[in-house]
Amino acid sequence: MKLTYIILAHRLPAQLARLVNALADENVNFAIHIDRKADEVAFRKAVEANGIYWVNDRVDIYWGGFSQVQATFNSLEEAMSQFPQTDYFIYLSGQDFPIKSKLQLHLFFNHTDGKSFMEYFPLPHESWSGNGGLGRITN
């Protein structure tokens, strides 16, 4: 089972390094997108592991904006090209951290029969303040 983690990061290079170290093994690759407003060199110095690809088509990312989607698309496109044998692409923020071991993660994906996982819900949604998230569409 080959996994590729697509990680979008914008700050805290040492934290990104801890994330990569927690997930890295011989069956894992990483496609890392560093916000174009951030110092990519600092991240490259902090993160040392096998299977890392630094996304070239970087985007200035603004929280909640389409730029996050564009950075994700760019990263996925480059990751698919770099790591075509990937069974699962997993999207993370540079500030995420696994609560399960890499062994548990591999076991989970080995038993999913190719299923994809995504959470969704209709808008407006009662858990979002204001107009229930409709502002994300209209603004």
Side-chain angles (χ1 to χ4, degrees):
M1 175 71 49
K2 291 284 189 181
L3 304 176
T4 296
Y5 290 94
I6 296 174
I7 304 174
L8 272 59
H10 68 285
R11 62 188 199 112
L12 305 174
Q15 185 170 335
L16 176 63
R18 285 191 298 277
L19 170 61
V20 168
N21 289 335
L23 296 170
D25 72 27
E26 65 276 358
N27 293 309
V28 169
N29 294 305
F30 299 90
I32 302 175
H33 177 284
I34 304 301
D35 187 323
R36 194 166 46 198
K37 298 184 303 294
D39 177 13
E40 186 180 35
V41 173
F43 287 90
R44 285 179 180 252
K45 285 181 181 177
V47 179
E48 294 181 20
N50 292 325
I52 292 182
Y53 173 76
W54 298 92
V55 174
N56 290 310
D57 195 1
R58 296 169 59 204
V59 175
D60 288 335
I61 300 175
Y62 296 94
W63 188 88
F66 185 77
S67 57
Q68 286 182 308
V69 175
Q70 188 63 61
T72 302
F73 284 160
N74 294 358
S75 300
L76 181 58
E77 182 176 40
E78 290 186 36
M80 289 172 64
S81 175
Q82 283 296 127
F83 308 115
Q85 301 305 314
T86 297
D87 295 298
Y88 280 97
F89 291 95
I90 303 161
Y91 174 78
L92 297 174
S93 158
Q95 293 181 259
D96 286 330
F97 200 80
I99 59 172
K100 302 285 185 180
S101 71
K102 54 186 148 192
L103 174 62
Q104 289 171 301
L105 292 169
H106 281 285
L107 289 173
F108 172 80
F109 284 108
N110 276 325
H111 292 59
T112 57
D113 298 323
K115 293 178 185 164
S116 294
F117 302 91
M118 180 182 292
E119 180 184 19
Y120 65 93
F121 47 83
L123 295 179
H125 195 268
E126 68 273 0
S127 69
W128 288 26
S129 63
N131 65 357
L134 287 175
R136 297 265 178 140
I137 296 169
T138 60
N139 298 328

